[in-house]
């Protein structure tokens, strides 16, 4: 059986070293509690000395509204609506994509999204062979308010492997709290906000757009979220949001959190560098994973990390058994060499 983790220096298909790791797998199966601890909102930040600022969004354009598939209908048709479909923490829905060509994408809309839910998308890929893995990744997300007041969560998935295959989508919800409103933001405009947050927690950002018109939805995207350690006793979450619609409107920024199920060491990375790893036996396969970095460094130059990619993989082992893996990429946004910890938690029904 494959070991729990495997370090990867650059890409999923390369061999790599073995960073130190502490596996708390015994606690992985426990029921997740939302850790909605008090956080301190500092300010809306446009520039701050010593802390990296978000650049252009890496998220590609979302498919047109008319081409998006109805996630709620797909889940209902396969008896896949979960306990968090109407709110709370857990699985909101699960459904199968069908076969997706290598490099192919699908856009999905989760309609009537509860106001307190921040969403995480996971996958259980299916269709790998002994010579090729099946790989899926979320490449774009956004929150939408329609003129009727309905809130939607939209995302685009991509088959990033080399063969045609499919995946069961695991849409998970984390209960969140509204912390700040952006005020009016022009189309294409961005804002960056930060909060002091407790240690030993993983954070998920959600949005509640407001200001749709009869001719245009209000649409916002979390373009980046990263973690900064500005001192030995302080930890911050930075969130950049962007108005990706066509009308000036606003959004509430919401944060939700979970406890830590497992953790491992992020190897020391030079400023601007990327470190990656693969988490083997990513069970249960009916879960989505929440992943967050916890940088370790010292002032006056802050250590800061961002999760830049998460890819769910199905691999056929040499004995013919199937294994789900998660490949993760962490980028050092600071100008110094530093490392830290990666926190993981599963969200399932």
């Amino acid at each position: 059986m494959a070991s729990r983790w495997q370090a990867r220096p650059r890409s999923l298909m390369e061999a790599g070293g073995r960073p130190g790791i502490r596996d708390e797998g015994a606690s992985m199966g426990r029921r997740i509690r939302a850790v909605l601890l008090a956080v301190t909102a500092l300010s809306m930040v446009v520039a701050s000395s010593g802390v990296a600022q978000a650049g252009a969004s890496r998220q590609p354009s979302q498919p047109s509204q008319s081409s998006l598939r109805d996630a709620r209908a797909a889940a209902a048709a396969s008896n896949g609506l979960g306990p968090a479909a109407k709110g709370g923490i857990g699985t909101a829905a699960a459904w199968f994509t069908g076969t997706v060509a290598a490099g192919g994408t699908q856009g999905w809309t989760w309609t009537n999204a509860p106001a307190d839910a921040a969403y995480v998308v996971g996958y259980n890929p299916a269709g790998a062979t002994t010579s090729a893995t099946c790989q899926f990744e979320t490449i774009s997300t956004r929150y939408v308010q329609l003129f009727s007041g309905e809130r939607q969560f939209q995302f685009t998935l991509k088959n990033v492997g080399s063969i045609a295959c499919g995946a069961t989508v695991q849409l998970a919800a984390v209960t969140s709290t509204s912390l700040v409103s952006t005020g009016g933001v022009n189309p294409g405009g961005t804002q960056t906000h930060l909060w002091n947050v407790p240690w030993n927690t993983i954070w998920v950002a959600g949005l509640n757009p407001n200001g749709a018109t009869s001719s245009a939805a209000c649409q916002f995207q979390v373009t980046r979220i990263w973690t900064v350690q500005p001192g030995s006793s302080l930890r911050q979450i930075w969130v950049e949001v962007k108005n990706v619609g066509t009308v000036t409107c606003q959004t509430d920024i919401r944060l939700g959190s979970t406890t830590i199920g497992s953790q491992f060491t992020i190897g020391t990375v030079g400023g601007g560098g990327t470190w990656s790893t693969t988490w083997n036996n990513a069970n249960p396969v009916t879960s989505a994973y929440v992943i967050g970095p916890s940088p370790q460094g010292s002032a006056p130059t802050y250590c800061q990390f961002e999760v830049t990619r998460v890819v769910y993989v199905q691999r056929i082992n040499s004995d013919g058994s199937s294994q789900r893996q998660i490949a993760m990429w962490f980028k050092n946004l600071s100008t110094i060499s530093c490392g830290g910890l990666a926190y993981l938690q599963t969200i399932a029904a």
Side-chain angles (χ1 to χ4, degrees):
M1 178 178 292
S3 62
R4 167 61 84 175
W5 58 270
Q6 183 175 357
R8 301 285 183 181
R10 296 298 296 180
S11 71
L12 177 64
M13 304 308 295
E14 295 173 347
R18 294 173 64 90
I21 183 169
R22 185 178 73 181
D23 183 1
E24 299 179 357
S27 64
M28 293 284 283
R30 70 173 183 253
R31 182 171 181 175
I32 301 170
R33 296 178 298 109
V35 190
L36 295 178
L37 303 175
V39 295
T40 305
L42 301 182
S43 64
M44 190 277 287
V45 177
V46 176
S48 179
S49 176
V51 179
Q53 292 299 298
S57 168
R58 288 183 298 274
Q59 297 198 34
S61 299
Q62 190 87 349
S64 65
Q65 187 76 29
S66 60
S67 66
L68 295 174
R69 294 168 162 85
D70 188 332
R72 187 176 289 273
S78 58
N79 198 29
L81 292 176
K86 296 182 178 180
I89 186 168
T91 298
W95 67 93
F96 191 65
T97 61
T99 299
V100 181
T105 62
Q106 289 183 356
W108 291 90
T109 297
W110 178 246
T111 58
N112 297 303
D116 66 345
Y119 289 101
V120 178
V121 186
Y123 303 96
N124 184 26
T129 69
T130 54
S131 59
T133 58
C134 179
Q135 306 180 35
F136 277 84
E137 178 180 11
T138 300
I139 61 172
S140 179
T141 64
R142 69 178 60 187
Y143 289 83
V144 176
Q145 184 212 34
L146 304 182
F147 184 58
S148 64
E150 178 187 340
R151 179 181 186 240
Q152 298 182 342
F153 174 70
Q154 300 178 355
F155 67 96
T156 301
L157 60 82
K158 184 175 183 178
N159 179 344
V160 294
S162 61
I163 61 171
C165 55
T168 298
V169 180
Q170 306 288 348
L171 179 64
V174 176
T175 306
S176 64
T177 298
S178 178
L179 296 177
V180 70
S181 175
T182 61
V185 180
N186 293 330
T190 63
Q191 285 188 9
T192 304
H193 295 253
L194 69 130
W195 292 268
N196 292 335
V197 297
W199 293 86
N200 301 318
T201 49
I202 312 172
W203 294 85
V204 180
L207 303 173
N208 259 358
N210 183 40
T213 69
S214 59
S215 59
C218 180
Q219 306 181 54
F220 275 85
Q221 189 176 73
V222 177
T223 49
R224 296 182 72 179
I225 178 169
W226 68 102
T227 309
V228 178
Q229 185 193 3
S232 59
S233 60
L234 189 61
R235 185 167 173 252
Q236 295 175 343
I237 295 294
W238 290 56
V239 179
E240 182 191 74
V241 300
K242 181 178 182 178
N243 182 340
V244 292
T246 59
V247 62
T248 297
C249 54
Q250 65 185 29
T251 187
D252 290 341
I253 301 176
R254 310 181 63 91
L255 286 183
S257 65
T258 75
T259 55
I260 299 168
S262 298
Q263 66 183 46
F264 58 84
T265 300
I266 299 174
T268 300
V269 185
T274 296
W275 185 88
S276 59
T277 192
T278 297
W279 184 256
N280 293 330
N281 300 308
N283 298 319
V285 296
T286 55
S287 65
Y289 272 69
V290 183
I291 302 167
S294 183
Q296 295 180 336
S298 58
T301 304
Y302 305 153
C303 185
Q304 47 194 312
F305 272 91
E306 175 185 15
V307 179
T308 56
R309 292 187 68 191
V310 177
V311 177
Y312 286 76
V313 181
Q314 183 201 33
R315 181 179 298 277
I316 304 302
N317 298 320
S318 58
D319 62 1
S321 62
S322 175
Q323 174 190 178
R324 187 173 78 154
Q325 301 173 313
I326 299 179
M328 298 163 276
W329 285 257
F330 301 86
K331 184 173 183 180
N332 180 353
L333 302 177
S334 58
T335 59
I336 61 170
S337 295
C338 59
L341 297 173
Y343 295 152
L344 285 76
Q345 183 58 278
T346 57
I347 302 179

